[in-house]
Amino acid sequence: MEMEEDKVMTFLKDVYGPTHVPNHSGTWPPSITIRPRASFSAMRNRQAIRHLATRIFFAIQKYTQASEEEIQCMVVNGRIFVASNNNNSLPALKRALAKNGSKLYDLLTADLGIANEPRLVRATNKMKKRLDDGSHAKRSMVHGILEGVMNAALDDAIIEMKLSSGKNAHCADFIDNAAYNGKIIFISGKSAHAEQKLIWTLILAGSTRAAIIYGKKRPCRICYETLSYAQSIGCNVEFNGYPGGYWTGKPLNALSQMVKKKLNDDPESGGRLATHFSGRKGLYKVAYKAGKNGSTSVGDPGYDTESDSEAEA
């Protein structure tokens, strides 16, 4: 069997089952695995990215009128890309911060005055302590990048990049150009979930550089499938291996566009792609949720799993 460019969406819909989503929280299978708190001692970059994404998510709530569901970040080649589900939220956040005269350090550590969000409090405390103490034992590469620009003028610290329907040659420039080393790059401009915008940037750049994608939530099943597909065509990306619920719509359309690009660039890849996706059939029936407050029985779909030592500095 071969996957043909004009039948990609039909093929994907067959692989990933129903396309009707009954409510805003997606489709969840009857059996869900709870992921309680886990050790991040060997994953400090992932932990720092989760803290960063959490801070940005709640800063959008505080400083803008944008409705946002998720923030994801990608660390690659000494710079950090940030993407959101809503294309308006990150540009609105930068405008609001600039109007307030804020610096990146304020975005990362300031009291946002948002009540009843203990995860935000923990993320803030850890971020601040690890940025303020250059010799902190639990610092990561991510903290080093943030430290380099946290007191710079906002326009020097945060750069905006817009994805378009064109060839997007600038994606490679943002990933490879030394001028963007140590920068925070806000991405907007594509109808897709946050993780998909990040991996789309890598695909359009033709980059095989090592990248880490992580965020406030675990990826939905289709975003997870998108990241797995990207790995299969050569992207060197590390991501959360425990997907959440199942959405179609926008994320499935975005995945379809990526597959069509591959078929257009490499017409001989149709058989390999068909084999890859056929092997994924039915996987949307497996999902994970975070154990709320360390519980092994109560699921929290709004967050990824926390560290088992999250209360520590």
Side-chain angles (χ1 to χ4, degrees), residues 16-230:
Y16 294 114
T19 57
H20 174 65
V21 178
N23 58 59
H24 72 279
S25 63
T27 299
W28 293 84
S31 178
I32 297 170
T33 300
I34 301 300
R35 293 278 298 165
R37 290 181 178 179
S39 174
F40 278 75
S41 60
M43 300 183 291
R44 293 300 179 197
N45 285 318
R46 288 190 181 193
Q47 186 180 41
I49 294 169
R50 177 163 52 80
H51 294 158
L52 173 60
T54 300
R55 283 290 312 182
I56 293 173
F57 176 85
F58 284 107
I60 290 169
Q61 283 192 9
K62 171 71 174 179
Y63 297 118
T64 81
Q65 300 298 312
S67 174
E68 186 53 70
E69 292 293 330
E70 174 61 341
I71 297 294
Q72 292 273 327
C73 305
M74 175 173 72
V75 181
V76 57
N77 195 25
R79 59 211 70 191
I80 302 173
F81 290 82
V82 182
S84 57
N85 285 12
N86 182 343
N87 277 320
N88 298 319
S89 60
L90 289 171
L93 176 61
K94 186 180 178 184
R95 289 193 300 270
L97 293 172
K99 184 177 180 180
N100 293 341
S102 301
K103 294 188 175 181
L104 182 65
Y105 185 75
D106 301 313
L107 170 61
L108 300 175
T109 65
D111 181 3
L112 297 177
I114 298 176
N116 301 317
E117 287 294 346
R119 290 203 188 215
L120 171 61
V121 173
R122 292 192 287 272
T124 301
N125 289 342
K126 284 196 166 186
M127 180 68 76
K128 180 172 174 55
K129 289 178 180 179
R130 295 176 190 185
L131 287 176
D132 290 350
D133 181 359
S135 61
H136 197 292
K138 296 179 181 178
R139 271 172 63 104
S140 69
M141 171 185 65
V142 174
H143 295 106
I145 296 171
L146 296 172
E147 183 183 37
V149 290
M150 66 185 186
N151 291 312
L154 197 68
D155 282 340
D156 289 333
I158 300 176
I159 310 298
E160 292 187 69
M161 187 193 95
K162 191 166 186 177
L163 292 167
S164 70
S165 57
K167 292 186 177 180
N168 290 284
H170 63 297
C171 291
D173 191 49
F174 274 98
I175 291 173
D176 295 326
N177 194 323
Y180 299 113
N181 193 49
K183 303 294 186 183
I184 312 303
I185 302 165
F186 280 4
I187 296 178
S188 62
K190 182 173 178 59
S191 179
H193 278 188
E195 302 94 326
Q196 293 178 311
K197 294 174 188 178
L198 296 170
I199 202 65
W200 190 230
T201 301
L202 277 185
I203 290 173
L204 289 173
S207 180
T208 57
R209 291 185 182 274
I212 306 172
I213 293 178
Y214 229 71
K216 171 179 168 285
K217 294 181 181 180
R218 64 187 67 250
C220 80
R221 167 54 69 175
I222 298 300
C223 285
Y224 175 84
E225 292 299 314
T226 303
L227 295 166
S228 298
Y229 159 71

